[in-house]
Amino acid sequence: MIRVGIFGVTGYAGYELARWLQRHPKASLVWAVSESAAGKRLAEVVPGPLDLTLLAANQVDWQTVDVIFTGLPHGVAAKTVAEARQNGVKAIDLSADLRLDSPAAYTRWYDHTHPHPELLNAPYGLPELNRAALVDVPTIANPGCYPTSVLLGLAPLLEQGWWQTGQTIIINAASGVSGAGRAPKQHLHFVEAHENYSPYNIGHTHRHVGEIEQELNKLANAAVNTIFAPHLLPTQRGILSTIYVPIQPELDLAQIHALYRERYANEPFVNVLDQGQLASLAHVVHTNDCAVGLTLAQPGMLIVTSAIDNLLKGASGQAIQNMNIMFGLPETTGLR
Amino acid sequence: MIRVGIFGVTGYAGYELARWLQRHPKASLVWAVSESAAGKRLAEVVPGPLDLTLLAANQVDWQTVDVIFTGLPHGVAAKTVAEARQNGVKAIDLSADLRLDSPAAYTRWYDHTHPHPELLNAPYGLPELNRAALVDVPTIANPGCYPTSVLLGLAPLLEQGWWQTGQTIIINAASGVSGAGRAPKQHLHFVEAHENYSPYNIGHTHRHVGEIEQELNKLANAAVNTIFAPHLLPTQRGILSTIYVPIQPELDLAQIHALYRERYANEPFVNVLDQGQLASLAHVVHTNDCAVGLTLAQPGMLIVTSAIDNLLKGASGQAIQNMNIMFGLPETTGLR
Amino acid sequence: MIRVGIFGVTGYAGYELARWLQRHPKASLVWAVSESAAGKRLAEVVPGPLDLTLLAANQVDWQTVDVIFTGLPHGVAAKTVAEARQNGVKAIDLSADLRLDSPAAYTRWYDHTHPHPELLNAPYGLPELNRAALVDVPTIANPGCYPTSVLLGLAPLLEQGWWQTGQTIIINAASGVSGAGRAPKQHLHFVEAHENYSPYNIGHTHRHVGEIEQELNKLANAAVNTIFAPHLLPTQRGILSTIYVPIQPELDLAQIHALYRERYANEPFVNVLDQGQLASLAHVVHTNDCAVGLTLAQPGMLIVTSAIDNLLKGASGQAIQNMNIMFGLPETTGLR
Amino acid sequence: MIRVGIFGVTGYAGYELARWLQRHPKASLVWAVSESAAGKRLAEVVPGPLDLTLLAANQVDWQTVDVIFTGLPHGVAAKTVAEARQNGVKAIDLSADLRLDSPAAYTRWYDHTHPHPELLNAPYGLPELNRAALVDVPTIANPGCYPTSVLLGLAPLLEQGWWQTGQTIIINAASGVSGAGRAPKQHLHFVEAHENYSPYNIGHTHRHVGEIEQELNKLANAAVNTIFAPHLLPTQRGILSTIYVPIQPELDLAQIHALYRERYANEPFVNVLDQGQLASLAHVVHTNDCAVGLTLAQPGMLIVTSAIDNLLKGASGQAIQNMNIMFGLPETTGLR
């Protein structure tokens, strides 16, 4: 039995993680930390079936766990991961703190110096692209939600070299409100977000651009330029990225569809839809799946629709998938 | 042209008021106050078509308006109304500050001493019950949202003496989230309120109980005991009260329906539905109407369903209706 | 491994059942029937992770399953259960066909003669009230969604005799739209149901009244009169019953709370909330739990708030719980 | 007083039109047609404040109206417009039947021969682009909802020649569910559409592509190639188009913003947002406005966000605006 601790369990991703660990036959939640609610029972803070007493960070006993998950703000997360390592405990970080490859990139996108640059060597935990690097490692950088949807939607094409090198890839993305976190804010008020749909940080400014382009560059083995336009959806969860990719003009849809089907043939969590089908939130919410649809808009222009549940494949489900790999379990354990 | 000022224009009721005043052919918004956003343009604070510069309370010129509307927290509202009166300006108060008949009742339900008890002689502005008292007065207490739905749903029955005196009336009510105000709070976060439905302050504790029972007592000319159970609905707006009333057992539905139809025959904003129809939010949202449905559950037990838009008939629409009466205009002016 | 067949898998309850069976370590879905979509793959009909080929009813091989679940319209379900019995296969029926105790009651509430009255001896599958009767039986009547919320909310009080015999119990209930089924209808159109909240079949007319009163009578060992007022909520799922119960006037809340806590102390799926807490949909959606809150409105009047997920504890989760009991498995198997 | 008839009043656009005509000081609804509900009262079919008796098409008296609005399916609408013309009644058509310039284009996009090609000379009723052509005419083609958002979002740029001729413009659009019509369909069921977000007809296949490119070509005086990707949003109403436009690389945002502000300076219903602001549904729902936001993603790539209420500026509000122009009224009459 893998013994697990969670930091930040009252956040949406932390809570989802605790909920799914209940179903995991080989892992067990030993304790959970919430700085803001330490001493309370979880059921007092989040209505629902989970009812353990929350700890403050300085109350945890590192000897009782094998791995921690950190659902903490960037900057804070790295310090907790560092402490886990000092105590010989593995860590899967759901924040952005381990994702970028260099301290400079981190500073550019997160506006402060990385507190533990030595942690940036953690492998990027997108199993479908990077599985071999995740086995038995001490730390894993759990990918961002938007990047997961984009990278799984584009990987086969870029690996194969079928996109038009040098052309801009336009990513029009939309996320449910849980992606914006649990802290109350004006624009997250029910009355403001309901019956609304609003773009934010569009262009090349959202923090996930750094992560997306870093990983796309590796897939393409070239510099990939993106435009990234996220929108806030009036849903609790789910991400859909509608991606406009300039491709080699001679490619037809059947070829591309075959490429995706083959690339993901053995991936339990990637669902390449039939030709003619488009990915939607309904395909994926409350699952760890990524659904991918392919549309040839005109010769040379492919539209990829890629959907995930931002709290599962975009956060906690993927974190459990990474834990399974890290500890040598079958990858789907506890994720159905 | 009636010259209007609004205090608290960035709240949901204040904004709705400003929006409908745009449509009013005989009234014009001169200035609007928002303490928290003074100096900004309204369109910067609330996305939408209204674009005037917001004032602080101490910047207003009282000479330029004939009447103010106060969409302010209780306690604060009374002070603003008092200032208006000192400046010879009429006031329609959307808070609870003018609604209760005695300082003692106010203290009981609002936990502090009334700052201006002399203002408690303002008439209760529910035109369908109290029209004559509203003409040409200096101040009007605009009713609460829940009380409006309950009082219009029960008035014919209680006036006629057809309820079972001494028996408890059970009011199961539900309101859209705008009823809880615009300040961000955890339980109003989109993710918490969406796909949720939750009771709060049920029993005999919600502040509107004092107002409801005060006015029911007048209608019945007797002490009316209620149980009041409000619930938060995952909608932006709308209130439905489902009211269980013990009545004289010999009454049949046709008699009761005829009574309601007759009582409200000349009321432009009360829609007594056909027999067999039930009131719903869809009947009333974005209108100043109250829809009333009548169901005889069994002999001696009537179920009244009474629906309003909490921001219109439950707040700003009713306030404009009151302004129309106060200034001698046809009551429906600007309210279609 | 329990081998399972589902009839009606494209309905909301049938699909939810198939989804949760994926997580069940001791049961496996062998085939699934959909008359309307026979020959198609399930993923073509319902977007999501389930992808098996659907059968017509006359294509099933009864030898390959141990138990079937019937998510079919009333009238049809009984015929399928009868066929299962002829083939020596157990059946858990999610329709109303096995729930009522007499053919006469069935005819009264469902407007047609029961096609297989011999099936009405199936035990009523609410494990918390009736567990002993469910072990190793050939058929189980899975309870209705509203009845489950009401019966669990009232059982301790009625068993203990603490209600006011002869007084009417008022049940104000609200359900998410999945409770109305998957067939497209005007009032279930997104635009009609969203931002709406509407009562229907209120009084003593909804078909669940027969089932509710039949089971309440057994609990109370007396005739229980109810008023039942269901409402359609703008949510996908969830039921909240707000129940107004006249009780012995000398009882205080602490006594009642202790009674409920003791009664449900060993029940894994009933969550008696702390004093002061009220049940909401957020407590239970996507779980098999029933959350119960207790409020003493005034001496002699208790308000019970009882929440379930209509698709889980109100249908498919309870059906799996019943299967677990029927086959001697721990009751929570596959339900976390 | 302009005397108005409506065909198709029980559809979402027809009903919205009737609702706003209530507010119009110079127009009055004389009769309304609904083939499916002829003989019923409107309030029986659509819950709400409108209560007139519905006619069948063959019952209307053409002498009693000056103008009709047709909210009918394509193909049917043209026949009704033709009949109006034979009776000397003006017509504003909300269907697609008058929008395309040639019978061939109509056949290509709507799959059948145009029943009255002589009606295709009706002017395209987007007042901000085409006002002069609308005065005193007998018929107006009311634009589609998506085209309105796109054309107002792009007009200044294309008129000025600042886009990159020959480059593809990518339009990622999203619409509330009322855009799909009132007939119940599986994918419009509340449970399917809620918590969902789904692309449909993406690429170059949606029928509005013909209309969009026809009008863009006129603005640009060149052939404009678009990719158009609509999505279904879980809202009742509202459209947001996020448009990716290759522009001259030397242009900066201030220049573009100044161009838009100048172009629309006198337009009462176009709201060019401040630099840095992005258009959202909240800016426009329940108004006749179009909100336009401008973002320079990188040199040579502009993102235009353009929002309207699909039922108002995208249908009925624009139809009233067109009526105002047609009859020489101030354009904003009845539209605040």
Side-chain angles (χ1 to χ4, degrees):
Chain A
M1 207 62 148
I2 307 168
R3 301 169 306 156
V4 176
I6 297 178
F7 285 79
V9 76
T10 57
Y12 292 130
Y15 189 85
E16 189 79 8
L17 190 51
R19 183 83 181 84
W20 281 77
L21 285 173
Q22 282 197 301
R23 296 179 180 144
H24 199 290
K26 302 290 185 190
S28 144
L29 180 59
V30 178
W31 44 250
V33 169
S34 166
E35 282 307 311
S36 61
K40 292 188 183 172
R41 288 159 39 230
L42 181 47
E44 291 179 82
V45 184
V46 181
L50 297 177
D51 199 8
L52 71 174
T53 298
L54 302 169
L55 303 182
N58 62 13
Q59 296 175 303
V60 308
D61 179 355
W62 290 102
Q63 309 309 309
T64 58
V65 297
D66 301 305
V67 63
I68 62 161
F69 294 91
T70 43
L72 297 170
H74 61 82
V76 180
K79 292 174 189 160
T80 303
V81 172
E83 194 180 349
R85 295 309 305 135
Q86 289 157 12
N87 286 278
V89 169
K90 290 175 186 275
I92 296 171
D93 178 33
L94 282 78
S95 87
D97 276 2
L98 309 191
R99 293 180 197 155
L100 297 178
D101 290 341
S102 74
Y106 185 85
T107 301
R108 173 177 171 204
W109 290 103
Y110 292 92
D111 297 327
H112 62 97
T113 305
H114 198 290
H116 287 278
E118 76 279 8
L119 295 173
L120 292 178
N121 66 356
Y124 189 72
L126 194 48
E128 291 78 5
L129 305 187
N130 208 23
R131 183 170 284 117
L134 306 174
V135 180
D136 209 27
V137 291
T139 54
I140 291 179
N142 211 59
C145 49
Y146 284 125
T148 295
S149 72
V150 173
L151 295 167
L152 292 176
L154 290 176
L157 210 62
L158 270 61
E159 290 170 345
Q160 190 74 2
W162 283 1
W163 69 299
Q164 284 267 24
T165 315
Q167 296 266 25
T168 296
I169 296 174
I170 291 174
I171 304 157
N172 193 99
S175 172
V177 181
S178 61
R182 191 165 179 256
K185 295 178 185 168
Q186 192 66 56
H187 73 294
L188 307 180
H189 190 298
F190 180 87
V191 177
E192 322 276 318
H194 200 232
E195 285 283 303
N196 197 1
Y197 169 66
S198 51
Y200 65 98
N201 291 353
I202 68 175
H204 205 263
T205 59
H206 190 283
R207 281 166 166 167
H208 283 172
V209 170
E211 180 182 343
I212 289 170
E213 294 191 347
Q214 168 184 288
E215 298 301 317
L216 288 179
N217 292 350
K218 294 176 193 169
L219 290 169
N221 203 17
V224 180
N225 180 42
T226 64
I227 301 287
F228 179 62
H231 297 68
L232 191 66
L233 274 178
T235 66
Q236 289 181 311
R237 44 169 83 202
I239 279 181
L240 180 77
S241 291
T242 304
I243 313 175
Y244 304 85
V245 201
I247 59 167
Q248 307 300 332
E250 69 280 9
L251 292 165
D252 65 26
L253 183 57
Q255 289 173 282
I256 300 164
H257 190 258
L259 173 72
Y260 274 70
R261 278 273 162 96
E262 187 183 343
R263 173 62 178 83
Y264 291 131
N266 297 315
E267 290 300 342
F269 296 117
V270 182
N271 178 10
V272 179
L273 300 172
D274 292 346
Q275 285 189 43
Q277 283 197 304
L278 303 170
S280 73
L281 299 195
H283 284 92
V284 296
V285 287
H286 296 288
T287 79
N288 193 48
D289 291 351
C290 178
V292 178
L294 299 166
T295 304
L296 193 61
Q298 57 190 28
M301 173 59 74
L302 183 74
I303 308 180
V304 180
T305 48
S306 176
I308 58 169
D309 185 321
N310 62 305
L311 294 180
L312 287 168
K313 187 62 178 166
S316 303
Q318 185 140 275
I320 291 174
Q321 189 180 354
N322 280 322
M323 178 190 76
N324 289 341
I325 299 171
M326 187 185 245
F327 287 90
L329 296 174
E331 205 161 317
T332 60
T333 310
L335 286 171
R336 291 305 189 189
Chain B
M1 208 60 145
I2 306 167
R3 302 169 304 158
V4 176
I6 296 177
F7 286 79
V9 75
T10 57
Y12 292 130
Y15 189 83
E16 188 79 8
L17 191 51
R19 184 81 181 85
W20 281 76
L21 285 173
Q22 282 197 301
R23 294 178 183 147
H24 199 290
K26 304 289 184 189
S28 144
L29 180 59
V30 179
W31 44 250
V33 169
S34 166
E35 283 306 313
S36 61
K40 293 188 183 172
R41 288 160 38 231
L42 181 47
E44 291 178 83
V45 184
V46 182
L50 297 177
D51 200 7
L52 70 175
T53 298
L54 301 168
L55 303 182
N58 62 13
Q59 296 175 304
V60 307
D61 178 355
W62 290 102
Q63 309 307 311
T64 58
V65 296
D66 301 305
V67 63
I68 61 160
F69 294 91
T70 43
L72 296 170
H74 61 83
V76 179
K79 293 175 188 160
T80 304
V81 172
E83 193 179 351
R85 294 310 304 136
Q86 289 158 11
N87 285 280
V89 169
K90 290 174 186 278
I92 296 171
D93 178 33
L94 282 78
S95 88
D97 276 2
L98 308 192
R99 292 179 197 156
L100 297 178
D101 291 341
S102 75
Y106 185 85
T107 302
R108 174 178 170 202
W109 290 103
Y110 292 93
D111 296 327
H112 62 96
T113 304
H114 198 289
H116 286 278
E118 75 281 6
L119 294 174
L120 291 178
N121 65 356
Y124 189 72
L126 193 49
E128 291 78 5
L129 304 187
N130 209 22
R131 183 170 285 117
L134 306 173
V135 181
D136 209 27
V137 292
T139 54
I140 292 180
N142 211 59
C145 49
Y146 284 126
T148 294
S149 72
V150 173
L151 294 168
L152 292 177
L154 290 176
L157 210 61
L158 270 61
E159 290 171 345
Q160 189 73 3
W162 283 2
W163 68 301
Q164 284 267 24
T165 316
Q167 296 266 27
T168 295
I169 296 174
I170 291 175
I171 304 157
N172 193 100
S175 172
V177 181
S178 60
R182 190 164 180 255
K185 295 177 185 168
Q186 192 65 56
H187 74 295
L188 308 180
H189 190 297
F190 180 88
V191 178
E192 323 275 318
H194 200 232
E195 286 283 302
N196 197 1
Y197 169 66
S198 50
Y200 64 100
N201 289 354
I202 68 175
H204 205 262
T205 58
H206 189 284
R207 281 167 167 167
H208 282 174
V209 170
E211 181 183 343
I212 289 171
E213 292 191 348
Q214 167 184 290
E215 298 301 316
L216 288 179
N217 292 351
K218 293 176 193 170
L219 289 170
N221 203 18
V224 180
N225 180 42
T226 64
I227 301 287
F228 179 62
H231 297 69
L232 191 67
L233 275 178
T235 66
Q236 289 180 312
R237 45 169 83 203
I239 279 182
L240 180 77
S241 291
T242 304
I243 312 176
Y244 303 85
V245 201
I247 59 167
Q248 306 301 333
E250 69 280 8
L251 293 167
D252 66 23
L253 183 58
Q255 288 173 280
I256 300 165
H257 191 258
L259 173 73
Y260 274 71
R261 276 274 161 97
E262 187 182 342
R263 173 62 178 83
Y264 291 132
N266 297 314
E267 291 299 343
F269 296 118
V270 182
N271 178 11
V272 179
L273 300 172
D274 291 346
Q275 285 188 41
Q277 284 197 304
L278 303 170
S280 73
L281 299 196
H283 284 94
V284 296
V285 288
H286 296 287
T287 79
N288 194 48
D289 291 351
C290 177
V292 178
L294 300 167
T295 303
L296 193 61
Q298 57 191 28
M301 175 57 78
L302 184 74
I303 307 180
V304 181
T305 49
S306 176
I308 59 170
D309 185 321
N310 62 306
L311 294 179
L312 288 168
K313 188 61 179 165
S316 303
Q318 186 141 273
I320 291 174
Q321 189 181 354
N322 280 322
M323 179 190 76
N324 289 342
I325 298 171
M326 187 185 243
F327 287 90
L329 296 174
E331 204 161 318
T332 59
T333 310
L335 286 171
R336 291 303 188 190
Chain C
M1 208 61 145
I2 307 168
R3 302 168 305 157
V4 177
I6 297 178
F7 285 80
V9 75
T10 57
Y12 293 130
Y15 190 84
E16 189 79 8
L17 191 52
R19 184 83 181 84
W20 281 77
L21 284 172
Q22 282 197 301
R23 294 178 182 146
H24 199 290
K26 303 289 185 191
S28 145
L29 181 58
V30 178
W31 44 250
V33 169
S34 165
E35 282 306 313
S36 61
K40 293 189 183 172
R41 287 160 40 231
L42 181 48
E44 290 178 84
V45 184
V46 182
L50 296 177
D51 200 7
L52 72 174
T53 298
L54 301 169
L55 303 183
N58 61 14
Q59 297 175 304
V60 308
D61 179 354
W62 290 103
Q63 309 308 311
T64 58
V65 297
D66 301 305
V67 63
I68 61 161
F69 294 91
T70 43
L72 297 170
H74 61 84
V76 180
K79 292 174 189 160
T80 303
V81 171
E83 194 181 351
R85 293 310 304 136
Q86 289 159 10
N87 286 280
V89 169
K90 291 173 186 276
I92 296 171
D93 177 33
L94 283 77
S95 87
D97 276 1
L98 308 191
R99 292 179 197 155
L100 296 179
D101 290 342
S102 75
Y106 185 85
T107 302
R108 175 181 169 198
W109 290 103
Y110 292 93
D111 297 326
H112 62 97
T113 304
H114 199 290
H116 287 278
E118 75 280 7
L119 294 174
L120 291 177
N121 66 354
Y124 189 72
L126 193 49
E128 291 78 5
L129 306 186
N130 208 24
R131 184 170 285 118
L134 306 173
V135 181
D136 208 26
V137 292
T139 55
I140 291 179
N142 211 57
C145 48
Y146 284 125
T148 295
S149 71
V150 172
L151 294 168
L152 292 176
L154 290 176
L157 210 61
L158 269 62
E159 290 170 345
Q160 189 74 3
W162 284 2
W163 68 300
Q164 284 268 24
T165 315
Q167 297 265 26
T168 296
I169 296 175
I170 291 174
I171 304 157
N172 193 99
S175 172
V177 181
S178 61
R182 190 165 180 255
K185 295 179 184 167
Q186 193 64 59
H187 73 293
L188 307 180
H189 190 297
F190 181 87
V191 177
E192 322 276 318
H194 200 231
E195 285 284 301
N196 197 1
Y197 169 67
S198 50
Y200 64 99
N201 290 354
I202 68 176
H204 204 264
T205 59
H206 190 284
R207 282 167 166 167
H208 281 174
V209 169
E211 180 182 344
I212 289 171
E213 293 191 348
Q214 168 184 290
E215 299 301 317
L216 288 179
N217 291 351
K218 294 175 194 169
L219 290 170
N221 203 19
V224 181
N225 180 43
T226 64
I227 301 287
F228 179 63
H231 297 68
L232 192 67
L233 275 178
T235 66
Q236 290 181 310
R237 44 167 84 203
I239 279 182
L240 181 76
S241 292
T242 304
I243 312 175
Y244 303 86
V245 201
I247 58 168
Q248 307 298 334
E250 68 279 8
L251 293 166
D252 66 23
L253 183 58
Q255 288 173 281
I256 300 164
H257 190 260
L259 173 73
Y260 273 70
R261 278 274 162 95
E262 187 182 343
R263 173 63 177 83
Y264 291 131
N266 297 314
E267 290 300 342
F269 295 118
V270 182
N271 179 10
V272 179
L273 301 173
D274 292 346
Q275 284 188 41
Q277 284 198 305
L278 303 171
S280 73
L281 299 196
H283 284 92
V284 296
V285 287
H286 296 287
T287 78
N288 193 47
D289 292 351
C290 177
V292 178
L294 299 166
T295 304
L296 193 60
Q298 56 191 29
M301 175 58 77
L302 183 75
I303 307 179
V304 180
T305 48
S306 177
I308 59 170
D309 185 320
N310 62 306
L311 294 180
L312 287 168
K313 187 62 178 165
S316 303
Q318 185 139 275
I320 291 174
Q321 189 181 353
N322 280 322
M323 179 190 75
N324 289 342
I325 298 171
M326 188 184 242
F327 287 89
L329 296 175
E331 205 161 318
T332 59
T333 309
L335 286 171
R336 292 303 189 192
Chain D
M1 206 61 143
I2 307 168
R3 301 169 305 157
V4 177
I6 298 178
F7 285 79
V9 74
T10 56
Y12 293 130
Y15 189 84
E16 189 79 8
L17 190 51
R19 184 83 182 84
W20 281 77
L21 285 172
Q22 282 198 300
R23 296 180 179 144
H24 199 290
K26 303 289 186 191
S28 146
L29 180 60
V30 178
W31 43 251
V33 169
S34 166
E35 282 307 312
S36 61
K40 293 188 183 173
R41 289 159 39 230
L42 181 47
E44 292 178 83
V45 183
V46 182
L50 296 177
D51 200 8
L52 71 174
T53 298
L54 301 169
L55 303 182
N58 61 13
Q59 296 175 303
V60 307
D61 179 355
W62 290 103
Q63 309 307 312
T64 58
V65 297
D66 302 306
V67 63
I68 61 160
F69 294 92
T70 43
L72 297 170
H74 60 84
V76 179
K79 292 174 189 162
T80 303
V81 172
E83 194 180 350
R85 293 308 304 134
Q86 289 158 10
N87 286 279
V89 170
K90 292 175 184 276
I92 297 171
D93 178 33
L94 283 78
S95 87
D97 275 2
L98 309 191
R99 293 178 196 156
L100 296 178
D101 290 342
S102 76
Y106 184 86
T107 302
R108 173 178 171 203
W109 290 104
Y110 292 92
D111 296 328
H112 62 96
T113 305
H114 198 289
H116 287 278
E118 75 279 7
L119 294 175
L120 292 177
N121 66 355
Y124 189 72
L126 194 49
E128 291 77 6
L129 305 186
N130 208 22
R131 184 170 284 118
L134 306 174
V135 180
D136 209 28
V137 292
T139 54
I140 292 179
N142 212 58
C145 49
Y146 284 125
T148 295
S149 73
V150 173
L151 294 168
L152 292 177
L154 290 176
L157 210 62
L158 269 61
E159 290 170 346
Q160 189 73 3
W162 283 2
W163 68 301
Q164 283 267 24
T165 315
Q167 297 265 26
T168 296
I169 296 175
I170 291 174
I171 303 157
N172 193 99
S175 172
V177 181
S178 61
R182 189 163 180 257
K185 295 178 184 167
Q186 192 64 58
H187 73 294
L188 307 180
H189 190 298
F190 180 87
V191 177
E192 322 276 318
H194 200 231
E195 286 283 300
N196 197 1
Y197 168 67
S198 50
Y200 63 100
N201 290 353
I202 68 177
H204 205 263
T205 59
H206 190 283
R207 283 168 165 166
H208 282 173
V209 169
E211 180 182 343
I212 288 170
E213 293 191 348
Q214 168 184 288
E215 299 301 316
L216 288 179
N217 292 350
K218 294 177 193 168
L219 290 170
N221 204 16
V224 180
N225 180 42
T226 64
I227 301 287
F228 178 62
H231 298 67
L232 191 67
L233 273 178
T235 66
Q236 289 181 312
R237 42 168 85 203
I239 280 181
L240 180 77
S241 291
T242 304
I243 312 174
Y244 303 86
V245 201
I247 58 167
Q248 306 300 333
E250 69 279 9
L251 292 166
D252 66 25
L253 183 58
Q255 289 173 280
I256 300 165
H257 190 259
L259 172 72
Y260 274 69
R261 277 275 161 96
E262 188 182 343
R263 174 61 178 84
Y264 290 131
N266 298 315
E267 290 300 343
F269 295 118
V270 182
N271 178 10
V272 179
L273 300 172
D274 293 346
Q275 285 188 42
Q277 284 197 305
L278 304 170
S280 73
L281 299 196
H283 283 93
V284 297
V285 286
H286 296 287
T287 79
N288 193 48
D289 291 352
C290 178
V292 179
L294 300 166
T295 304
L296 194 60
Q298 57 191 27
M301 175 57 76
L302 183 73
I303 307 179
V304 180
T305 49
S306 176
I308 60 169
D309 186 321
N310 62 305
L311 294 180
L312 288 169
K313 187 62 176 164
S316 303
Q318 186 140 272
I320 291 174
Q321 189 181 354
N322 280 323
M323 179 190 74
N324 289 341
I325 298 171
M326 187 186 245
F327 287 90
L329 297 174
E331 204 161 319
T332 60
T333 309
L335 286 171
R336 292 302 190 191

